[in-house]
């Protein structure tokens, strides 16, 4: 038996540009644009292997759909991390759970000269017409969306390593703003919201407009945003900032689970940046917020994929994931109702669906911040063992779940693409890059989002390592529409 990880041996994905990959089924005529995905292109550097699914060297993938045909290209992000790995065969910078080999002297010096990794492998964002690969370190790598060539590093100075950020900025096209949450570590640590005016290209650093001091910062992967509020959900997975500055162990291994703290929710006014209220809930952990909205009763409702504790992080170490019977704790869709007035009572999250789910996605363009969000897509484990092997669709109102799965197949994040004239929320398709472990190849799966059945698939000749996040841009076709061949990397 194999798993979504072991099939490929953790090795390097080939870099290719394929102008017309085979399509089984018929793609909808309206479906035009490019899916760009980010993730690890390899876990192996020289004779060393990264230790965790969230490590690895960033690789971008682009599937361009046009006229019922599909082209594909992939390319490593040309970062310093990548160049040193390729040219010198060594891991040069600390990642989520892997550190470079260092002498005690080098470790001591790292306190004074920390270096953030630039392997921006986790997500993609388009901000003020810049296409950015995002990492949790405060480094954004700009790339050309057509060729996937790396343009340069945007954002903060990489020597300013007293910060980490989320890879899930919220984008509001109506208000022309992008908002992200940064954690600053130091003698006085703080959570800081930064806002970018997306009509002002070149100002990718943004302005600080809300902050809150914190003694032991939490590991925070995303945050909530409603029409009127921003929400930090501060899980009891926290770090003493001094241990981060000393850097004696990999980043995430400095954090400690302290459930007695509970999970703290901090609400800020989105217009003024002022702190509105903080409340405490039962302890839980989450990577991903799903949605937040302001309800009629003056509460902020926060939906996220939550776990009873943070042990899911440990289950993503590669030595665990390569075991066929790996057990990944199931995250479930949970709802917090945060009253903004009245008694400050302890909150209990409501489990909306018992279905295990991760990498949640929605019709973000139309339903983000909406109280009427009905459909949440995600990946899930069918039984109680193994890696994510099905796509699920949870109806939040009806509290029902439907699933897609196929033998030996491991789907990645589902990205919803709505039919432009849609009148119902799930009128569109769900795109997912699926690893077929039996064949040792991957394919782009196109599901009818309404019926959750397959419409088409576009088949790659090679496997794609399990990635994280991607975005679909319906106006991104570029000059490399099917029929033209892109030069392969290095040629
Ligand atoms: Fe994420």
């Amino acid at each position: 038996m194999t798993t979504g990880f072991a099939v490929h041996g953790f090795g390097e994905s080939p870099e290719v540009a394929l102008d017309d990959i085979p399509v089984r089924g018929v793609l909808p005529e309206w479906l035009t644009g490019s899916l760009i995905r980010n993730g690890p292109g390899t876990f192996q550097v020289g004779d060393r292997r990264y230790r965790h699914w969230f490590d690895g060297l960033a690789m971008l993938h682009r599937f361009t759909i046009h006229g019922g045909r599909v082209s594909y290209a992939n390319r490593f992000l040309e970062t310093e991390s990548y160049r040193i790995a390729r040219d010198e065969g060594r891991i040069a910078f600390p990642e989520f759970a892997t550190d470079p080999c260092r002498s005690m002297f080098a470790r001591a010096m790292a306190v004074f000269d920390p270096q953030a990794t630039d392997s921006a492998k986790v997500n993609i964002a388009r901000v003020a017409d810049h296409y950015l690969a995002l990492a949790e370190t405060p480094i954004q790598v700009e790339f050309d969306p057509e060729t996937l060539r790396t343009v340069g590093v945007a954002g903060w100075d990489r020597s300013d390593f007293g910060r980490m950020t989320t890879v899930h900025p919220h984008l509001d096209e109506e208000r022309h703003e992008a908002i992200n949450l940064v954690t600053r570590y130091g003698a006085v640590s703080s959570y800081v919201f930064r806002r970018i005016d997306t009509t002002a290209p070149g100002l990718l650093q943004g302005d600080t407009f809300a902050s809150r001091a914190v003694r032991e910062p939490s590991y925070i992967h995303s945050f909530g945003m409603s029409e009127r509020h921003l929400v930090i959900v501060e899980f009891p997975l926290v770090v003493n900032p001094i241990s981060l500055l000393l850097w004696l162990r990999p980043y995430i291994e400095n954090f400690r689970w302290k459930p007695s703290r509970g999970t703290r929710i901090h609400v800020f006014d989105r217009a003024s940046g002022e702190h509105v209220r903080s409340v405490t809930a039962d302890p839980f952990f989450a990577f991903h917020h799903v949605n937040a909205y302001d309800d009629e009763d003056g509460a902020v409702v926060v939906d996220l994929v939550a776990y009873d504790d943070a042990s899911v992080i440990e289950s993503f170490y590669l030595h665990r994931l390569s075991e066929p019977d790996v057990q990944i704790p199931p995250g479930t869709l949970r709802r917090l109702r945060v009253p903004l007035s009245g008694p400050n009572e302890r909150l209990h999250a409501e489990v909306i669906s018992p279905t295990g789910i991760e990498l949640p996605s929605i019709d973000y363009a139309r339903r983000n911040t909406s109280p009427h969000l009905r459909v949440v897509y995600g990946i899930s484990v069918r039984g109680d063992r193994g890696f994510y092997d099905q796509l699920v669709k949870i109806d939040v109102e009806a509290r029902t779940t439907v699933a897609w799965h196929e033998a030996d197949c491991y789907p990645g994040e589902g990205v919803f693409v709505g039919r432009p004239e849609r009148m119902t929320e799930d009128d569109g398709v769900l795109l997912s890059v699926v690893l077929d472990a039996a064949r040792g190849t991957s394919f782009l799966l196109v599901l009818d989002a309404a019926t959750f059945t397959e419409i088409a698939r576009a088949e790659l000749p090679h496997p794609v390592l399990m990635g994280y996040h991607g975005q679909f841009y319906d106006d991104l076709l570029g000059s490399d529409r099917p029929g033209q061949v892109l030069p392969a990397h290095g040629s």
Side-chain angles (χ1 to χ4, degrees), residues 122-123 136 167-168 221-222 287-288 358-359 468-469:
V122 194
N123 202 354
E136 291 187 320
V167 290
H168 293 282
H221 185 81
S222 62
F287 293 112
H288 294 115
E358 236 327 324
L359 300 182
Y468 319 113
H469 301 292

Side-chain angles (χ1 to χ4, degrees), residues 116-303:
T117 181
D118 54 359
S119 187
K121 71 183 96 45
V122 194
N123 202 354
I124 301 292
R126 180 166 69 181
V127 179
D129 286 335
H130 296 272
Y131 287 83
L132 303 171
L134 305 181
E136 291 187 320
T137 55
I139 282 173
Q140 303 152 351
V141 180
E142 185 169 359
F143 63 92
D144 181 318
E146 293 178 27
T147 63
L148 303 182
R149 285 186 194 281
T150 300
V151 173
V153 172
W156 293 281
D157 186 328
R158 70 177 305 169
S159 65
D160 185 5
F161 198 20
R163 303 174 181 188
M164 294 296 257
T165 183
T166 91
V167 290
H168 293 282
H170 277 290
L171 306 175
D172 188 325
E173 294 202 358
E174 283 182 17
R175 299 190 202 182
H176 304 292
E177 61 184 15
I179 298 174
N180 206 352
L181 175 65
V182 175
T183 303
R184 287 183 179 151
Y185 301 103
V188 179
S189 300
S190 56
Y191 302 121
V192 176
F193 281 108
R194 298 181 75 90
R195 179 161 49 196
I196 292 169
D197 176 353
T198 57
T199 62
L203 295 174
L204 288 177
Q205 196 163 323
D207 301 313
T208 295
F209 74 104
S211 66
R212 183 171 181 82
V214 54
R215 195 169 62 85
E216 289 186 308
S218 169
Y219 172 70
I220 298 176
H221 185 81
S222 62
F223 64 96
M225 182 181 82
S226 68
E227 278 292 310
R228 299 201 302 272
H229 298 99
L230 296 171
V231 183
I232 299 174
V233 179
E234 185 185 38
F235 315 106
L237 182 65
V238 296
V239 67
N240 179 337
I242 292 171
S243 70
L244 269 189
L245 294 174
L246 291 174
W247 211 275
L248 296 175
R249 55 182 72 84
Y251 170 71
I252 197 61
E253 294 176 8
N254 292 285
F255 287 76
R256 297 285 174 268
W257 180 247
K258 297 185 176 178
S260 62
R261 290 169 53 105
T263 290
R264 299 171 185 173
I265 297 104
H266 308 291
V267 181
F268 298 81
D269 185 287
R270 192 173 150 189
S272 68
E274 287 175 11
H275 174 252
V276 176
R277 197 176 210 196
S278 292
V279 292
T280 300
D282 294 338
F284 65 86
F285 174 74
F287 293 112
H288 294 115
H289 282 251
V290 175
N291 186 35
Y293 62 89
D294 304 301
D295 82 357
E296 303 153 349
D297 304 329
V300 181
V301 178
V302 181
D303 290 350

Side-chain angles (χ1 to χ4, degrees), residues 10-25:
F10 305 104
E12 189 165 324
S13 293
E15 288 182 313
V16 296
L18 305 168
D19 66 334
D20 201 0
I21 62 175
V23 175
R24 279 207 273 153

Side-chain angles (χ1 to χ4, degrees), residues 339-390:
L340 300 182
S341 59
N344 197 335
E345 295 171 340
R346 190 178 181 93
L347 302 182
H348 311 284
E350 175 198 5
V351 177
I352 294 177
S353 164
T355 300
I357 184 170
E358 236 327 324
L359 300 182
S361 60
I362 62 172
D363 182 357
Y364 187 88
R366 296 206 181 170
R367 299 290 170 142
N368 191 44
T369 76
S370 168
H372 306 297
L373 173 78
R374 190 171 63 83
V375 180
V376 181
Y377 309 96
I379 57 172
S380 179
V381 179
R382 268 191 291 164
D384 62 350
R385 305 267 169 170
F387 196 62
Y388 301 107
D389 58 358
Q390 65 178 349

Side-chain angles (χ1 to χ4, degrees), residues 27 37 97 109 117 127 135 188 232 299 337 341 356 391 402 471:
L27 293 160
R37 293 199 54 77
M109 293 307 290
T117 181
V127 179
V188 179
I232 299 174
R337 189 173 295 274
S341 59
L391 287 157
V402 291
Q471 307 288 337

